[in-house]
Amino acid sequence: MKKIAIGAATAAAVLAGTFGAYGAVTASAAAPATAERTAVAVKSADAKDAHLRESTHLTVDAATRAAEATLKAAEKENQRITVAVVDRNGNTIVILRGDGAGPQSYESAERKAFTAVAWNAPTSELVGRLEQAPNLEDIPGTLFLSGGVPVTDEGAPIAGIGVAGAPSGALDEKFAQAGVDAITR
């Protein structure tokens, strides 16, 4: 019962701080100018099981720079693409639809990015896995076509970049890799 009361009090304090006296919600998408990533620590509510967990996330600034570098690489080759950058959980951070990119490219780029981060592998490599496990392509939100690459930190996936719209998956993946290179150098 004590845990429930403490949890309710904590939730009330968070809600009061979030909504304030006037019911307004404020949020900021701005990231520190020099930060490439940010770590978030989560502590367990149960004191005897308290653990500190650290998770690395790509900032909005880094995701935007990656997307812009991807578009620039495609434009150099006169390709019209859409690029999506998703976080470790597959949530979209940023999508940029290049001038003249096809309408199907938006969802395809997002799904390629999700697939790359979910399996921590370029989607071109994952296409081969379909031969052994054809049911993989039935997983919601995935797209097993070349054009998605993971962004990693110390080997762990922290984001995915997906590209769609070029005439081949190899080109899509080349442009996505340009986005990764722009933020990991």
Side-chain angles (χ1 to χ4, degrees), residues 4 16 22 26 37 52 72 75 83 107 110 118 120 126 136 140 143 151 172 180:
I4 293 172
Y22 299 102
T26 60
R37 57 194 170 104
L52 185 63
K72 193 173 287 187
E75 288 170 357
V83 57
E107 183 178 350
E110 199 170 32
N120 193 23
L126 297 172
L136 283 178
L143 185 59
V151 179
D172 285 341
V180 172

Side-chain angles (χ1 to χ4, degrees), residues 16-85:
T18 302
F19 294 104
Y22 299 102
V25 176
T26 60
S28 174
T34 60
E36 287 296 317
R37 57 194 170 104
T38 182
V40 179
V42 179
K43 203 170 194 179
S44 173
D46 190 351
K48 72 176 183 159
D49 294 327
H51 298 284
L52 185 63
R53 295 191 180 120
E54 191 173 281
S55 179
T56 305
H57 302 273
L58 205 60
T59 64
V60 171
D61 178 59
T64 302
R65 284 187 289 118
E68 288 172 343
T70 301
L71 274 181
K72 193 173 287 187
E75 288 170 357
K76 285 181 183 176
E77 297 191 30
N78 295 317
Q79 297 300 316
R80 298 178 192 99
I81 59 123
T82 296
V83 57
V85 182

Side-chain angles (χ1 to χ4, degrees), residues 70 81-84 108-116 121-125 127 143-150 160-166 168-177:
T70 301
I81 59 123
T82 296
V83 57
S108 296
E110 199 170 32
R111 290 173 59 193
K112 288 178 184 183
F114 172 77
T115 305
T123 53
S124 61
E125 291 178 19
V127 171
L143 185 59
F144 290 87
L145 296 175
S146 297
V149 294
I161 299 177
V163 174
S168 74
L171 278 175
D172 285 341
E173 196 160 305
K174 173 184 170 183
F175 302 142
Q177 188 61 51

